[in-house]
Amino acid sequence: MVIDSHQHFWIYHPEHHEWISDDMSIIQTDFLPHDLEPILKENGVDGCIAVQTAQTEEETEFLLHLANQYDCIKGVVGWVDLRNEQVAERLSKYKEDPYFKGVRWILQAENDSFFYDTAFRKGLAELAKFNLTYDLLVYHNQLPHVLDLVHSFPDNKFVLDHIGKPAIKEEGLVNWSNDIKKLAAFPNVYVKLSGMVTEADWTNWTEEEIIPFIDVVFNVFGAERIMFGSDWPVCLLASDYRKVKTLVDNYLKKLSDKERALVLGGTACGFYSIGS
């Protein structure tokens, strides 16, 4: 299967989606599976992973409800309050739904001390007990804290969203790449080729400026730990679905058939236990 490992659904509400600022007006609307299904078909994508954007269990349940209605959704990365003393019970409840694959906490919105929060880390440890994954959403300057996190939890399965959000627009390759190389040394860490166009200049980005960042990711992670993700509909701020997938497809032309199959679906299926 060809799998889009990272996209979102929401029913837009200004209070619930305050992160969507006025300069993002193009995504200040509803995005649901019936909007994405024809796009996936047009681009030869068989299914997707729906990832949370709001830190509520209501959204987790909303995404699971959609997954049980639409064949295109192969898994859900939801939100659970990892700091809650009853986190194990909450995870056990959601694990009853086969579409519940993992958890994400929007760490890019937290201060540095949160990475070391005792309650957060205690909850994070519970994920491995349920064979649940964890999506890392951070800015590039938070990667040193991520390194400590993944080092502390070798039994957890982590995936770095949006290649760690490097400052592509400012050509911030060096510091980011040093941290990415260190992160790749941990075999329990994977990475998503997603969210790259929105870290570049939204109106003037080129494949040429993004390729050096993709090079770094492939050189240190290898195809078996890399997965394609569109970040739809957020990608619409800088592109459209076809251009985002074409960016990855063009890069993959120089790789083997096996490597392409891994990046375009195999890695995601293994990581998120799709089909098992």
Side-chain angles (χ1 to χ4, degrees):
M1 289 192 293
V2 176
I3 298 295
D4 179 345
S5 71
H6 198 103
Q7 54 75 222
H8 309 288
F9 298 118
W10 62 67
I11 296 174
Y12 176 71
H13 192 286
E15 290 183 8
H16 298 158
H17 300 93
E18 71 280 354
W19 62 273
I20 304 178
S21 55
D22 288 341
D23 62 337
M24 302 179 181
S25 59
I26 192 173
I27 60 172
Q28 289 179 334
T29 188
D30 300 348
F31 291 95
L32 293 167
H34 63 78
D35 301 307
L36 182 61
E37 281 181 320
I39 297 173
L40 294 178
K41 186 175 181 179
E42 291 166 8
N43 289 276
V45 178
D46 300 304
C48 61
I49 302 294
V51 181
Q52 64 84 228
T53 59
Q55 310 230 112
T56 66
E57 288 196 10
E58 288 78 11
E59 171 155 289
T60 302
E61 291 163 8
F62 165 70
L63 294 175
L64 289 172
H65 176 70
L66 294 179
N68 281 278
Q69 284 187 306
Y70 292 89
D71 291 340
C72 67
I73 305 174
K74 304 302 182 184
V76 167
V77 175
W79 183 87
V80 174
D81 187 355
L82 296 176
R83 297 178 299 175
N84 191 299
E85 291 183 359
Q86 282 75 47
V87 63
E89 288 83 351
R90 303 307 296 158
L91 293 174
S92 178
K93 170 187 176 291
Y94 285 120
K95 184 68 175 178
E96 292 175 3
D97 191 316
Y99 289 104
F100 186 68
K101 302 298 185 180
V103 172
R104 184 172 81 160
W105 190 295
I106 301 177
L107 289 173
Q108 69 177 27
E110 304 291 349
N111 58 38
D112 293 348
S113 64
F114 188 88
F115 287 82
Y116 308 93
D117 180 82
T118 301
F120 171 68
R121 288 193 167 212
K122 185 178 179 180
L124 197 63
E126 293 291 332
L127 296 179
K129 299 176 184 178
F130 291 93
N131 192 31
L132 293 168
T133 64
Y134 186 83
D135 269 56
L136 290 156
L137 178 62
V138 296
Y139 292 120
H140 59 89
N141 60 342
Q142 295 174 302
L143 288 173
H145 304 298
V146 171
L147 287 166
D148 183 87
L149 204 63
V150 301
H151 171 74
S152 301
F153 295 93
D155 295 329
N156 283 48
K157 292 169 64 178
F158 295 97
V159 60
L160 183 65
D161 293 347
H162 313 332
I163 67 171
K165 304 192 86 168
I168 297 174
K169 186 177 179 180
E170 288 78 30
E171 300 180 359
L173 184 68
V174 177
N175 290 338
W176 166 83
S177 63
N178 288 336
D179 287 330
I180 287 294
K181 291 171 185 175
K182 294 174 185 176
L183 197 58
F186 295 93
N188 58 323
V189 181
Y190 294 64
V191 63
K192 291 183 181 180
L193 283 184
S194 61
M196 297 177 291
V197 296
T198 45
E199 297 307 314
D201 186 321
W202 291 359
T203 57
N204 295 300
W205 67 270
T206 64
E207 287 193 15
E208 289 71 25
E209 68 178 321
I210 295 176
I211 284 173
F213 293 86
I214 302 178
D215 280 337
V216 170
V217 171
F218 270 90
N219 287 341
V220 295
F221 276 96
E224 66 277 2
R225 287 195 286 155
I226 298 173
M227 55 188 89
F228 158 72
S230 68
D231 198 27
W232 180 94
V234 180
C235 67
L236 300 178
L237 297 170
S239 185
D240 59 36
Y241 195 105
R242 181 172 294 279
K243 289 179 182 177
V244 169
K245 184 160 186 294
T246 298
L247 168 66
V248 175
D249 284 338
N250 286 345
Y251 189 90
L252 296 180
K253 288 178 181 177
K254 62 183 178 182
L255 303 182
S256 68
D257 290 344
K258 180 180 179 181
E259 289 171 318
R260 285 195 294 273
L262 285 169
V263 175
L264 292 177
T267 300
C269 284
F271 184 82
Y272 286 118
S273 301
I274 297 172
S276 63

